[in-house]
Amino acid sequence: MKASVKFKLLAMLLVGLLTSSLAYALFYHSNNQFIENIAKRSLNNPLKLTQQELSWYLKQDKAKQLSWAQNLLTALNNQNHHWTDLATAQLPQSLILHWANFNHIPSQFYLAQLSKNQYYKVYWLKKIASGVDKPDEASKANIQLAKHYENTSTKAAKLNYQQALALNNINAYRFEYAKFLIKQGYPKSEWNTLIEHNQAALSFTQNDLFYYFNSLGEVINAEFSTDIQCARPIQLITSNYSQLNKLKITLGTLLDLNFFRESGFCIIAEHWSNQLSDKQLQNAESLDFTQQYWLIELSGLTRAYRQGNRIYLPSSFNSQVMGHELAHWLGFEDEYQLNQAKAQQRCFIAKNEVGNVLAQNLIIFQMDYYFKHKSDLLNWMRTNIPWFNYIKNPQDWIIQTKQGFKLKLAEKEQGIGFYPAHTCNEMGVISVKPVFKATFMQNHAFYIPKLYKKIIL
């Protein structure tokens, strides 16, 4: 090989080495300079990269980013132990991800809270929860996992609560676990010790658990506020604490509506118990002697119904169902077709009568009824029909046949008058309601006619 060729190759090699050394020197200088500046700034300000630092970081390959992230993390921990509030930090997410992979717990918590992907959320929380050498952080992660699982796997939630308490048996965590057990309907023996003498649960025990009872006798004999005065006092009974809150909110929403606002209803007492069976409550005739109304939620019920001064609701109740049932207490009848058993109970007309007033919103007639004189029918209407005074021209609703006079039943909207209902079809009698449109007394529709409020007032 000629000397000139050798010289060229050697020169190229030297240039390459110098370039690499210079590049490394520049990286090392920038690396250390940026790290030192960022660490100093973190002492008094939220953690943030300048535009120059960020631009430089993003230009590095993955290996250099990883190395720089590790060096920065070390410097920050050495410089300032209170820099870990990543919620206020302005950092590229890849940097925080590197720190999380270095088992930096604040970064792992941050990613768990930030992630919309439930898999990654659980992934990071499980990594923290497994760190038994950091019991405070691991117990906190277990609590967050428990809350995450509450609506999907009560078994997993219970296990995470227990693991949290095994690591850090503080009052706040004991209280959270107790609330979970109460919500799930566990017996008092499983959660009572968690809240006894627990300062975190003090307001809870004074208010919410005040409504817990072990037997029907305790419910009936429980004290209630005598300061609340209303015409129709209601007591609530549910199977667990969360259902009691749902019942109170739903009833409160209804009592704000115009129709119910002046109905005289009010809540005077609240009770919940997982010790009372559906059968006990359905056969609780002793409640009938309290001169009060009872709204009772039953976990095994599929359809709401009223029995005297008791209304029974399934756990899936909503405001439409409850409003329909409350209206029964105000004297309104179902406008849908009753089954045979219920129709036999309610749709009775004596043989010597042409019809009967079933409720504020419903009258029934024999199939073959007629009045001999128009004035007789008008007098019967005036005396018996609850909505008579709201009919614009009562005589327009009377038709004459060969057999005599009878009510006209409209098949389309004609104002307040007489429209066919299906309530007593099973008994072969004619059911009549005052409005054309389907109301909340027909299959829990939303519509409450203004007329119905006028009738009850």
Side-chain angles (χ1 to χ4, degrees):
M1 185 179 292
K2 293 182 179 181
S4 60
V5 174
K6 288 183 177 179
F7 178 78
K8 286 181 180 179
L9 288 172
L10 183 60
M12 290 172 63
L13 180 62
L14 288 170
V15 169
L17 287 171
L18 286 170
T19 302
S20 298
S21 298
L22 181 61
Y24 178 78
L26 288 171
F27 169 77
Y28 184 80
H29 175 74
S30 298
N31 184 353
N32 283 342
Q33 183 181 7
F34 288 155
I35 286 174
E36 185 178 340
N37 290 340
I38 294 167
K40 284 182 179 177
R41 291 200 307 269
S42 74
L43 286 169
N44 301 309
N45 300 286
L47 195 56
K48 177 183 178 181
L49 300 190
T50 65
Q51 189 59 47
Q52 181 187 10
E53 292 161 350
L54 177 62
S55 178
W56 176 87
Y57 169 79
L58 294 174
K59 288 178 182 177
Q60 308 307 311
D61 60 35
K62 188 175 180 180
K64 287 179 180 176
Q65 284 185 357
L66 190 66
S67 172
W68 190 76
Q70 190 166 27
N71 292 335
L72 177 59
L73 181 62
T74 301
L76 286 167
N77 287 333
N78 290 337
Q79 181 78 42
N80 177 14
H81 294 289
H82 305 289
W83 67 273
T84 54
D85 181 13
L86 294 175
T88 60
Q90 297 180 39
L91 301 171
Q93 192 163 337
S94 62
L95 180 60
I96 299 175
L97 181 61
H98 288 320
W99 289 346
N101 285 322
F102 296 143
N103 288 323
H104 181 243
I105 290 176
S107 296
Q108 292 173 339
F109 268 123
Y110 177 79
L111 291 176
Q113 292 166 3
L114 186 71
S115 179
K116 295 180 180 178
N117 185 308
Q118 297 303 305
Y119 171 81
Y120 289 116
K121 180 184 186 73
V122 171
Y123 170 80
W124 289 116
L125 289 176
K126 282 186 173 180
K127 280 186 73 72
I128 305 167
S130 64
V132 292
D133 57 323
K134 301 274 188 180
D136 290 346
E137 291 84 353
S139 59
K140 180 181 175 182
N142 271 297
I143 290 292
Q144 291 188 18
L145 280 169
K147 290 186 175 299
H148 170 78
Y149 284 128
E150 276 192 13
N151 296 323
T152 56
S153 173
T154 54
K155 184 177 180 181
K158 188 175 183 182
L159 179 62
N160 281 118
Y161 275 121
Q162 291 172 340
Q163 288 174 342
L165 291 178
L167 291 163
N168 196 352
N169 193 25
I170 61 174
N171 280 340
Y173 293 166
R174 290 166 63 83
F175 179 35
E176 291 302 321
Y177 184 35
K179 285 194 292 185
F180 164 75
L181 294 175
I182 290 167
K183 190 189 299 182
Q184 298 303 322
Y186 283 88
K188 191 175 183 178
S189 57
E190 289 210 31
W191 47 260
N192 195 45
T193 55
L194 294 167
I195 58 175
E196 276 188 328
H197 313 299
N198 184 337
Q199 290 297 312
L202 195 58
S203 62
F204 185 76
T205 54
Q206 287 178 346
N207 294 292
D208 307 310
L209 283 186
F210 177 75
Y211 307 124
Y212 179 84
F213 296 94
N214 282 304
S215 68
L216 187 61
E218 285 187 9
V219 168
I220 294 172
N221 294 319
E223 294 182 3
F224 54 85
S225 176
T226 55
D227 296 331
I228 303 172
Q229 301 289 333
C230 62
R232 296 183 174 95
I234 300 176
Q235 297 204 46
L236 313 179
I237 304 178
T238 65
S239 59
N240 61 57
Y241 168 66
S242 61
Q243 285 294 93
L244 181 61
N245 278 333
K246 178 185 173 184
L247 193 60
K248 284 192 291 186
I249 291 169
T250 306
L251 181 57
T253 301
L254 282 173
L255 297 185
D256 281 337
L257 297 178
N258 283 334
F259 179 76
F260 292 106
R261 190 177 298 144
E262 298 176 51
S263 61
F265 288 121
C266 67
I267 301 172
I268 62 164
E270 306 156 27
H271 320 276
W272 70 272
S273 177
N274 45 33
Q275 305 299 306
L276 299 175
S277 69
D278 287 3
K279 188 175 180 180
Q280 276 181 291
L281 289 168
Q282 284 174 304
N283 296 324
E285 287 85 2
S286 52
L287 298 179
D288 295 338
F289 301 102
T290 59
Q291 304 299 313
Q292 292 157 8
Y293 295 87
W294 296 83
L295 271 180
I296 304 169
E297 174 258 339
L298 300 180
S299 58
L301 197 64
T302 56
R303 186 181 177 88
Y305 68 94
R306 175 184 60 96
Q307 185 173 323
N309 66 342
R310 290 169 275 157
I311 286 176
Y312 293 99
L313 299 164
S315 297
S316 58
F317 67 85
N318 56 37
S319 58
Q320 287 76 45
V321 171
M322 188 186 293
H324 175 98
E325 299 303 329
L326 286 179
H328 283 310
W329 279 343
L330 296 175
F332 290 87
E333 182 55 89
D334 293 319
E335 293 172 358
Y336 58 80
Q337 183 172 327
L338 300 176
N339 60 38
Q340 190 171 25
K342 288 183 178 179
Q344 286 175 344
Q345 290 176 350
R346 303 184 197 175
C347 302
F348 175 75
I349 303 175
K351 287 184 179 181
N352 61 336
E353 293 180 344
V354 295
N356 191 16
V357 178
L358 216 60
Q360 304 271 26
N361 61 322
L362 205 77
I363 56 176
I364 56 175
F365 290 96
Q366 304 279 10
M367 291 295 288
D368 56 353
Y369 84 95
Y370 296 97
F371 286 80
K372 187 175 181 179
H373 302 288
K374 186 178 183 179
S375 58
D376 293 338
L377 176 52
L378 269 173
N379 287 332
W380 188 93
M381 292 166 63
R382 189 177 292 109
T383 304
N384 293 283
I385 295 175
W387 61 91
F388 179 81
N389 291 333
Y390 302 99
I391 301 173
K392 192 172 183 180
N393 294 304
Q395 295 197 45
D396 292 346
W397 293 89
I398 297 175
I399 57 175
Q400 184 177 11
T401 69
K402 290 181 180 180
Q403 292 86 356
F405 294 89
K406 64 188 303 182
L407 285 177
K408 178 186 78 172
L409 300 186
E411 296 291 345
K412 61 181 181 180
E413 177 63 66
Q414 294 184 33
I416 297 170
F418 303 95
Y419 299 87
H422 305 288
T423 308
C424 296
N425 284 6
E426 286 285 345
M427 295 300 291
V429 298
I430 301 170
S431 307
V432 181
K433 61 178 185 172
V435 294
F436 172 74
K437 191 175 179 180
T439 77
F440 73 138
M441 297 311 295
Q442 181 176 337
N443 297 327
H444 308 146
F446 287 95
Y447 175 57
I448 304 177
K450 291 181 180 178
L451 168 68
Y452 287 11
K453 181 182 178 182
K454 293 176 182 177
I455 292 173
I456 61 173
L457 293 178

